[in-house]
Amino acid sequence: MTFETLNEICRDVPGASVVEGQGGLPVIALQTDASQAQVYPHGAHVTHFQPVTQREPVLWLSRKSWFEDGKPIRGGVPVCWPWFGPHSSAPDLPSHGIARTREWQVESLELLDDESLRVTFLLKSDEQTRQVWPYSFELRHEITVGATLEMTLRTRNPGKSQLSLCEALHSYFRVGDVQRVRIEGLENTTYIDKIAAAAGRKQQGDEPVTFEGEVDRPYLDTESACTLVDPQLGRRIIVRKRNSRSTVVWNPHIEKSARMEDYADDEWPTMVCIETANVHDNAVTIDPGQTHEMTAVISVADME
Ligand code: TA6
């Protein structure tokens, strides 16, 4: 969408504007009494969310991120859809699917009665998507910015065959020091340890998740909210969810982050991913004519 079209959409909505973002890409800036946020139509990608109570942004964004066609933004909340991680049978296809590297259309933008702002992005199947995923779909990403950041990923199946897919709102959170944080809410949950892949599935004990090294874990069959406790920034980030059965936790630590071109070597202590997902055993199927939606709600509280 051109700047002019986006300007037209934002013009009559108090608190919404479109500005030139990184890489010259348009970005929608949303300002409310409670918070501010930024969302790129590129990937329908939330890159910034900061309640007025917070000195630091809630979302992490790499200073080396790409901001260009065909490449994913590193940080914020990438939309992983309709597969998660590498494609199961075509390794040369993009990791985490097709949604995060496409430009989405703005379907609606409105100021709600509670003074929050809601923008809905739409991505429809086309020739390009059918080349890598031979199905018809309508994918909407509804983002509501206020005291919380609420994101709903909604898949409608307009076709005649059942859809089977994986999905994640791959949220990157800003922390003071990953070696000092803990995640509560995943106790006694089964996870796949992708670092010790040979070890396969493991069970989290009744202790919180902590980060002594690289951690890459899809936790399965869990609908629990997670709390990211950050003593250095003196806050707790709470990730609530609906219709999500998986939570993926990731920090690349030293070696993996050094291998990533769009991730600075010294950034790994400042981020943690807690991803609201349906992956692996928790893949979803959507019958013809049906709609499935998954929601993440991000909020922040001071440390008790
Ligand atoms: O969510 C964790 C993960 O699957 C990791 O394995 C790591 O690859 C991360 O996603 C980032 O993936 P990306 O394709 O964005 O580099």
Side-chain angles (χ1 to χ4, degrees):
M1 298 181 93
T2 65
F3 276 87
E4 292 68 30
T5 311
L6 291 168
N7 255 322
E8 195 67 23
I9 292 168
C10 294
R11 196 180 53 192
D12 301 331
V13 181
S17 60
V18 60
V19 294
E20 181 170 337
Q22 298 194 53
L25 297 175
V27 59
I28 296 175
L30 303 171
Q31 178 81 44
T32 72
D33 290 345
S35 65
Q36 53 180 259
Q38 291 196 338
V39 197
Y40 283 76
H42 176 77
H45 200 128
V46 182
T47 54
H48 180 70
F49 172 63
Q50 187 166 354
V52 294
T53 59
Q54 295 301 311
R55 290 189 317 277
E56 295 287 341
V58 174
L59 300 178
W60 174 91
L61 188 65
S62 174
R63 66 174 185 270
K64 292 190 68 180
S65 175
W66 296 307
F67 285 88
E68 52 187 273
D69 285 350
K71 289 193 171 181
I73 294 170
R74 174 70 65 193
V77 185
V79 174
C80 303
W81 187 97
W83 64 83
F84 183 78
H87 188 280
S88 54
S89 59
D92 55 344
L93 289 180
S95 165
H96 290 324
I98 56 178
R100 64 176 182 164
T101 51
R102 286 293 301 270
E103 184 187 347
W104 295 47
Q105 302 301 306
V106 175
E107 183 177 54
S108 63
L109 171 60
E110 54 187 323
L111 179 64
L112 303 182
D113 293 346
D114 66 357
E115 301 296 309
S116 55
L117 285 165
R118 173 172 291 165
V119 56
T120 300
F121 290 91
L122 171 63
L123 181 68
K124 283 185 169 180
S125 50
D126 60 18
E127 271 320 297
Q128 189 185 6
T129 63
R130 282 195 193 88
Q131 279 169 15
V132 290
W133 203 60
Y135 301 99
S136 299
F137 65 84
E138 286 179 9
L139 183 62
R140 286 176 172 79
H141 191 14
E142 178 188 277
I143 300 153
T144 307
V145 174
T148 65
L149 170 63
E150 182 161 332
M151 299 171 285
T152 293
L153 193 59
R154 187 172 297 125
T155 304
R156 190 174 88 81
N157 179 359
K160 294 185 171 32
S161 44
Q162 187 180 68
L163 299 182
S164 178
L165 58 92
C166 291
E167 58 187 350
L169 293 168
H170 191 301
S171 306
Y172 286 76
F173 294 106
R174 168 87 172 81
V175 296
D177 179 353
V178 70
Q179 300 168 104
R180 294 184 57 205
V181 305
R182 65 181 186 274
I183 298 174
E184 298 170 349
L186 295 170
E187 292 78 6
N188 305 307
T189 304
T190 300
Y191 65 91
I192 298 171
D193 186 349
K194 289 171 64 177
I195 304 307
R201 292 170 189 228
K202 296 181 179 175
Q203 187 80 5
Q204 183 74 24
D206 52 15
E207 74 287 348
V209 179
T210 52
F211 298 83
E212 284 73 38
E214 182 181 355
V215 171
D216 190 348
R217 299 177 187 172
Y219 285 80
L220 303 175
D221 303 324
T222 170
E223 298 179 15
S224 301
C226 286
T227 299
L228 174 56
V229 181
D230 182 347
Q232 183 150 322
L233 296 186
R235 67 184 185 187
R236 290 175 294 128
I237 295 174
I238 301 100
V239 184
R240 295 182 178 84
K241 60 181 193 171
R242 296 191 292 271
N243 294 329
S244 158
R245 302 269 301 143
S246 319
T247 295
V248 184
V249 174
W250 180 55
N251 177 276
H253 206 60
I254 300 167
E255 277 147 41
K256 178 149 189 182
S257 54
R259 295 197 298 268
M260 294 190 286
E261 193 186 336
D262 60 337
Y263 192 118
D265 293 359
D266 62 349
E267 289 182 315
W268 61 269
T270 62
M271 61 69 69
V272 171
C273 282
I274 301 177
E275 305 158 34
T276 304
N278 286 301
V279 297
H280 297 285
D281 310 8
N282 302 137
V284 298
T285 56
I286 309 172
D287 289 333
Q290 300 303 303
T291 296
H292 156 82
E293 64 180 50
M294 175 181 75
T295 298
V297 183
I298 313 296
S299 56
V300 192
D302 290 335
M303 285 276 285
E304 264 133 19

